[in-house]
Amino acid sequence: MKIKYHNWLQVAVMATMVVFSACSDDPTLYSDTDITGFKVRLGEGNYKQGTVKDGNIIEFKITPDLDLSKLNGVTCSFFISPYATVTPTPDVPQDFSKDVHYTVKAQDGTTTDWTVKWTYGGKVNDGEGFEYFFKKWEISVPTPSNKDKDGFGAVFGNYIIDTQFNFYDKYTGQKVDKTLNVTGIDASLCQLVNDDAGNLIGVVKNVGLYRWTTVEGAPQRLLM
């Protein structure tokens, strides 16, 4: 009887250990499949930071002047969830001019597919700030005011306008065939800025300030 009792006790203990083992294994496995801190390497010290979007999408911004072929054959770097793996690895060169896909596999076998996309960088929103400083890359056609140099202008509606009244699409930097109504202004315009409502303000040397509320409308003279 003593031996039989010992055998049953041993079986009970082993069964209990199996039950507890089965209950405790799964919770210790990580199921997270996140990608964070993403950036594309375009050269020494030149990185394009990515932003995580809804739908497991990572988006990084480029300037309109960037030759898309420069996005081909480059690597990236990013962080993933603890104990997870990723395919392909970030050190494998990719063509980021197209959508690039990564699969993150968690410790418990859960997988998530991620898509990396590029988009053009946006311009300053209307009414944010008082002057728009544009770089050479944002102007595709040289003009007397911006040839071989940076320049000053203002954002107005969907456009950037320089002091020579040249219009550019504020999202692409491409020149647009449009004219600003300058009725009543005889002197030279020396500066353009935005007010806090997004209107266009022109500084006319030795004359004063003018305000446009629309591109087509005539400017309103402001009291000095």
Side-chain angles (χ1 to χ4, degrees):
M1 295 296 291
K2 197 171 186 180
I3 295 176
K4 186 179 291 188
Y5 173 78
H6 175 75
N7 288 341
W8 277 109
L9 180 61
Q10 187 178 36
V11 170
V13 170
M14 290 180 64
T16 303
M17 290 177 62
V18 170
V19 171
F20 274 103
S21 176
C23 293
S24 61
D25 277 351
D26 290 344
T28 64
L29 298 180
Y30 287 82
S31 60
D32 294 337
T33 55
D34 296 328
I35 289 182
T36 59
F38 183 94
K39 59 184 176 182
V40 174
R41 296 172 175 167
L42 297 185
E44 187 65 30
N46 185 9
Y47 299 94
K48 299 300 179 183
Q49 197 76 32
T51 302
V52 178
K53 302 285 187 177
D54 292 337
N56 301 322
I57 292 174
I58 296 176
E59 189 176 82
F60 66 94
K61 295 182 179 182
I62 63 173
T63 56
D65 68 320
L66 183 65
D67 182 356
L68 292 181
S69 65
K70 294 182 179 179
L71 294 177
N72 189 6
V74 300
T75 60
C76 65
S77 63
F78 53 82
F79 295 100
I80 61 177
S81 299
Y83 301 101
T85 58
V86 63
T87 306
T89 56
D91 60 339
V92 176
Q94 302 289 339
D95 182 2
F96 285 99
S97 67
K98 306 172 183 177
D99 290 356
V100 176
H101 302 278
Y102 291 94
T103 299
V104 179
K105 184 176 182 179
Q107 189 183 30
D108 69 351
T110 301
T111 61
T112 297
D113 293 325
W114 290 83
T115 301
V116 179
K117 300 173 174 283
W118 65 267
T119 185
Y120 286 123
K123 302 296 188 298
V124 177
N125 294 326
D126 302 342
E128 291 185 4
F130 296 93
E131 187 167 45
Y132 191 88
F133 182 73
F134 51 82
K135 295 290 187 181
K136 285 182 292 184
W137 65 261
E138 292 176 312
I139 304 301
S140 58
V141 181
T143 68
S145 66
N146 66 50
K147 186 177 181 180
D148 299 325
K149 64 179 182 179
D150 299 334
F152 287 95
V155 176
F156 193 39
N158 292 322
Y159 310 103
I160 301 171
I161 309 174
D162 67 16
T163 53
Q164 299 295 315
F165 305 119
N166 297 299
F167 279 70
Y168 307 90
D169 187 297
K170 75 174 183 179
Y171 299 105
T172 66
Q174 297 298 313
K175 193 171 183 179
V176 178
D177 185 17
K178 204 164 187 63
T179 303
L180 185 68
N181 187 337
V182 292
T183 302
I185 300 179
D186 298 325
S188 298
L189 185 67
C190 62
Q191 191 174 22
L192 287 172
V193 298
N194 289 116
D195 63 14
D196 57 2
N199 298 314
L200 184 67
I201 304 296
V203 181
V204 180
K205 188 175 182 181
N206 299 325
V207 176
L209 302 177
Y210 287 83
R211 176 174 60 206
W212 286 263
T213 56
T214 65
V215 172
E216 296 78 13
Q220 174 190 4
R221 174 76 182 276
L222 302 179
L223 297 177
M224 294 291 289

